[in-house]
Amino acid sequence: MSESGRARPDSSRTTDPAPGSPDAAGPAADAEETAAPQPSVWARIGHDLLHPGIGQLVVAVILCLSTFAVVSQIRSRAEDDPFSGMRRADLVTMLDNLSTSSRQLDSELAELRDTQRELQSGADSQQAARKQAASRLSQLQVLLGTVPVQGPGITLVIKDPDAKVTSDMLLDAVEELRDAGAEAICLNGRVRVVASTWFASGADSVLASGTPISRPITIQAIGDPHSLEEGARFRGGLVSQVESAQSGATVQITQKQQIRIDAVAASAPMSHATPVR
């Protein structure tokens, strides 16, 4: 038989792969990989939280620093605000005092403008100048305490049986009355309080410019009665300090439409300061 007559293998016939070979396991493996469960969203989030990347760490640090800066700024503003812890009544009292001071300044400004117009008009300018000079002299005499004065105001009587009221408390009281618009102040009808008045503690009493202030202490203040009393009763002010548990004293305030202060202060000559011309 010739070679051409020999039986040739059928190339179109497929042979089954041997068991255990990779080709035999291919379709099954692909099916298993396709059917393998994918990790859930929460699982991926948990994995990212447990194993954060560098970018995530940088973002977290920036957020922490920004939050800290915002909180610090808010706290700083709250601490710097002097009115955040005040009561509504105290804020209303402060507003009333500011309104009274504003009205006084507006009145003084109007008077100065009227004087300016009179002096610039040329008519009776000398008379207007003399009138203005006399008014200014009267104001200076009141401020210096060299003349008796009268007007509306309040009288404060401080009863201090244990002698706990100090010179610092009296100084604070004077400053608070001035802030409330007091134009003249007198202690016990003897000491006229002016810019040069000083306070100190003596052996048995408080000294005001060297004069002993006996107890009970009486303070006369001329000004708007309502504003003066509200200024004295302001929280943390005169009444709060004097009537605290540490001092045990009491304060009685009386508004009056007419108070007369006869005590005057001795004018001391200026040794160093001279007017600039």
Side-chain angles (χ1 to χ4, degrees), residues 99-209:
S99 300
T100 301
S101 300
S102 178
R103 288 193 298 269
Q104 292 176 350
L105 293 176
D106 290 340
S107 177
E108 293 178 3
L109 180 60
E111 292 178 0
L112 291 175
R113 286 176 175 173
D114 292 340
T115 302
Q116 183 182 18
R117 284 194 295 268
E118 291 177 0
L119 293 175
Q120 292 177 347
S121 63
D124 297 332
S125 58
Q126 293 184 353
Q127 182 179 357
R130 287 193 296 269
K131 180 181 177 182
Q132 176 65 16
S135 175
R136 184 60 177 168
L137 176 60
S138 299
Q139 293 178 359
L140 292 176
Q141 288 175 334
V142 172
L143 292 176
L144 293 174
T146 57
V147 294
V149 290
Q150 61 182 3
I154 63 173
T155 299
L156 299 92
V157 179
I158 303 175
K159 296 181 180 180
D160 182 26
D162 299 328
K164 294 294 184 65
V165 176
T166 64
S167 58
D168 292 337
M169 290 183 181
L170 278 184
L171 178 59
D172 292 341
V174 169
E175 294 297 333
E176 289 168 5
L177 291 174
R178 283 175 174 168
D179 292 340
E183 299 174 357
I185 301 175
C186 182
L187 300 177
N188 281 4
R190 300 176 56 194
V191 178
R192 182 77 169 269
V193 179
V194 293
S196 60
T197 303
W198 53 270
F199 295 88
S201 298
D204 300 324
S205 61
V206 177
L207 301 178
S209 295

Side-chain angles (χ1 to χ4, degrees), residues 241-260:
Q241 291 185 10
V242 173
E243 294 186 345
S244 63
Q246 290 78 9
S247 63
T250 59
V251 180
Q252 181 181 358
I253 302 178
T254 305
Q255 294 188 18
K256 295 183 178 181
Q257 294 302 317
Q258 189 70 13
I259 293 178
R260 180 181 177 89

Side-chain angles (χ1 to χ4, degrees), residues 74-86:
I74 293 175
R75 289 182 177 178
S76 176
R77 289 182 178 179
E79 292 175 357
D80 294 340
D81 187 3
F83 309 113
S84 59
M86 297 177 62

